[in-house]
Amino acid sequence: RGLGDVYKRQITDKPEWKQQLSIIKEKLNSYIGTGQYANLTDRKTTIDISSHFIVFDTSGLSEDEDLQSLAVYIISTFLTKKFKQNKKKHRRQILAIDETWSLARFDAGIKFLLNLAKRSRHMGLLCIFASQQINDFLGNADASQVLKAAECQIFFKQSKTDLEALAALFDLNISERGI
């Protein structure tokens, strides 16, 4: 049952709440019924939460920052709960995020990545952040902190421009740059 149905039932059951409920409904309009974000927030999930392998494909989401932030919130809330449950069960966990640069484009994504980089070990989690767009991290002070906070970094061949920025960020010496 969607939030829109709950709203209609509440107005029928409690007519004295109509004004307050109308204000709430107006604020939630984008997230319920046929609203812009309702497919994410006002529908039954198709995710099998008992599965040991879950894939979130966000490639079809529009570039709208509010929608992207909402998706990150929903996914990160789900994952954090799952990570804590698995740690209590002493299960090894791996989270792989491909095209990580897409999360580094907006504030909620950076906060999610930074939280993972700093806390993953405490959640019994191995994080893999994969990206071909290293400049999206290096050109953003907050996003570059994700790189610095990660327990392990592996960089494949870099352009000279990117290499200089990485060398500055990680204080690499000449021989480290060569490797």
Side-chain angles (χ1 to χ4, degrees):
R1 181 183 274 200
L3 289 173
D5 293 335
V6 171
Y7 168 77
K8 289 175 190 170
R9 192 179 78 240
Q10 284 296 330
I11 287 204
T12 304
D13 293 348
K14 309 254 188 216
E16 67 274 12
W17 291 6
K18 185 174 183 173
Q19 183 179 3
Q20 290 88 353
L21 288 170
S22 294
I23 292 168
I24 293 169
K25 182 180 183 280
E26 185 63 35
K27 290 182 180 188
L28 293 176
N29 245 357
S30 295
Y31 305 96
I32 61 175
T34 58
Q36 180 178 2
Y37 308 130
N39 284 335
L40 282 174
T41 59
D42 196 23
R43 306 288 187 273
K44 286 186 177 183
T45 185
T46 57
I47 298 168
D48 178 5
I49 61 173
S50 64
S51 176
H52 293 288
F53 185 80
I54 299 173
V55 175
F56 295 96
D57 181 3
T58 59
S59 63
L61 289 178
S62 76
E63 295 296 316
D64 179 86
E65 188 171 327
D66 288 341
L67 181 60
Q68 296 275 333
S69 295
L70 177 61
V72 168
Y73 174 76
I74 292 169
I75 293 169
S76 66
T77 301
F78 169 80
L79 289 176
T80 301
K81 182 178 179 183
K82 190 80 163 168
F83 297 149
K84 289 177 181 177
Q85 290 171 345
N86 285 340
K87 183 177 181 187
K88 285 181 184 176
K89 295 175 184 176
H90 304 288
R91 288 186 181 154
R92 293 183 180 183
Q93 309 175 85
I94 299 173
L95 172 65
I97 301 176
D98 192 18
E99 303 299 347
T100 307
W101 64 268
S102 66
L103 286 173
R105 293 177 299 163
F106 58 98
D107 211 31
I110 291 171
K111 287 179 181 173
F112 175 54
L113 292 171
L114 192 53
N115 186 38
L116 286 172
K118 287 183 173 184
R119 297 185 55 228
S120 61
R121 187 172 48 90
H122 303 290
M123 291 187 279
L125 175 67
L126 168 67
C127 285
I128 300 169
F129 303 139
S131 184
Q132 294 176 2
Q133 303 294 327
I134 199 72
N135 278 334
D136 288 321
F137 289 92
L138 299 176
N140 179 322
D142 293 328
S144 67
Q145 293 307 305
V146 172
L147 292 177
K148 288 186 87 165
E151 197 169 325
C152 179
Q153 301 89 14
I154 299 172
F155 300 104
F156 295 104
K157 187 173 180 176
Q158 302 293 314
S159 71
K160 288 186 183 203
T161 306
D162 292 343
L163 184 57
E164 291 304 316
L166 282 170
L169 181 66
F170 291 104
D171 197 26
L172 301 178
N173 63 38
I174 296 295
S175 60
E176 290 170 328
R177 289 179 199 195
I179 293 170

